[in-house]
Amino acid sequence: RHIPPNPTLPRACWDGTITTGSLPKICLDESDSVSALQSSNETLYCEAEAPVAVEKEKPARESSETDLEIEDTEKFFTTGQKELYLEACKLVGVVPVSYFIRNMEESYINLNHHGLGPNRTKAIAIALVSNTTVLTLELADNCITEEGILSLVEMLQENYYLQEMNVSDNDLGLEGARILSEFLQNNTSSLFSLQLSGNNFEESAELFCQALSNNYRIKSLDLSHNKFCDKAGEYLGQMLAINVGLQSLDLSWNHLYIRGVVALCNGLRSNVSLKKLDLSMNSFGNEGAAALGEVLRLNSYLTYLDLSSNNITNDGLSKISRALELNESLKVLKLFLNPISMDGAVLLILSIKRNPKSRMEDIDISNVLVSEQFVKILDGVCAIHPQLDVIYKSVQAPSAKKTHFTWTNPVKLIQSYADQNKISVLDFFRSLNPSGEMMMPVGEFRKAMIQQNKVPINRYQVRELIKKLGEKTGMVDFSFLKMTRS
């Protein structure tokens, strides 16, 4: 399919003619021209091309001014991806990256910390224009600067397969933010996940928020470690009030403080798409916690909220707890490294008990030292909400600590049951799932394990079991057991 390029985007100069029959059109800057120029001032040829091909007259067609144009489609399909990349490297005068050559036909490529710089990034971008296999591209910490991001944006206008890209820690700055925001404003690619952490975007929040206000394609965005401030919270709030695409947003380590988070919450109240929000390390304290409590009363879409290390005390936690008595959507709440005492922790879990429709599955208060009395209260809450797991620091009692170390390995318990009943371990796990499938959401799996009566197991053993089964992205997957038989 052909979609004309965005006329408002700055061109990455992809318009110098190359007649190898395999490379996209690309404009060379002065440094590129010096290394690639051979025998003609008008037409450039790569050394890998033996006999010089005669450029075919390109048939005229509507909207043919594509920034990344293939000169000869027929010839292009006869040239391998490796050859295309090697020619691109010769063109821009860089040494090829061997890892990229070995993995360019894989769905996942990790080039983090490879010291690529803008020119090697350009060569990779040229090779990816026509690539149909790479779905995830990791380019963090490569000093690609604004020149490199411009090459990647031009590539994305032509590549309709790449879905996830990480360009964190690349010193993109204000100019890089402008390039990205213009791309996001008119995004027609397949990209849905973008990681932009640590790129010195401190003055760029307004650009991104304007671009994302009407963008529905980007589902996951990481803007952490970008030195935003209170003012950025206002722009983000305005964007979230009308955005209908974002499902995951990471704003951790951004100096949003009180005013920024309060402004953010004003927009978040009416948001209908965001499910995961990370606001850790922003020091907004109890006032920010109170604003988030109001959000949790009204918002029925958030399922994951990270508020770690924000100087929230019992006072701020009480505001959140009251909201959780009504909230029916939140599943994960992280409050690690906040100065919360056991009294605040009790208020928190009792709020879950008072809400029969609570869907809470995981609460992290792992810096809070609790008592045996707290554990007894938690046992009562978990009896009503068996999907719930609360991670705390430890219990102030030697006996409880001793009990912890005398637990039987949950895998051995299940294996013993399977051996006695002449079934496989996989059969046991599949019996927990009404659909019979080999994957389950963590909360449903925990609830099924607690409520089943075949194997005696407590919630702490279930937590260990979930770790052993390799929980990822909120799912427990026991398909790897399919070859295991009793």
Side-chain angles (χ1 to χ4, degrees), residues 13 33 40 57 59 74 183 271 283 288 314 332 342 410 433 435 447:
C13 304
S33 299
S40 172
E57 185 177 350
E74 184 178 346
F183 162 70
N271 182 275
S283 300
N314 288 353
V332 178
M342 191 186 69
N433 194 346
S435 67
K447 182 177 181 179

Side-chain angles (χ1 to χ4, degrees), residues 170-188:
N170 273 298
D171 195 27
L172 300 182
L174 181 59
E175 187 56 34
R178 285 197 182 103
I179 294 168
L180 280 164
S181 62
E182 289 184 24
F183 162 70
L184 291 171
Q185 198 160 10
N186 299 277
N187 179 20
T188 57

Side-chain angles (χ1 to χ4, degrees), residues 370-380 392 395 400 459-460:
V370 302
S371 66
E372 288 186 336
Q373 181 63 30
F374 173 88
V375 175
K376 290 178 181 178
I377 295 172
L378 181 58
D379 287 339
Y392 45 81
V395 178
R459 66 174 183 270
Y460 306 104

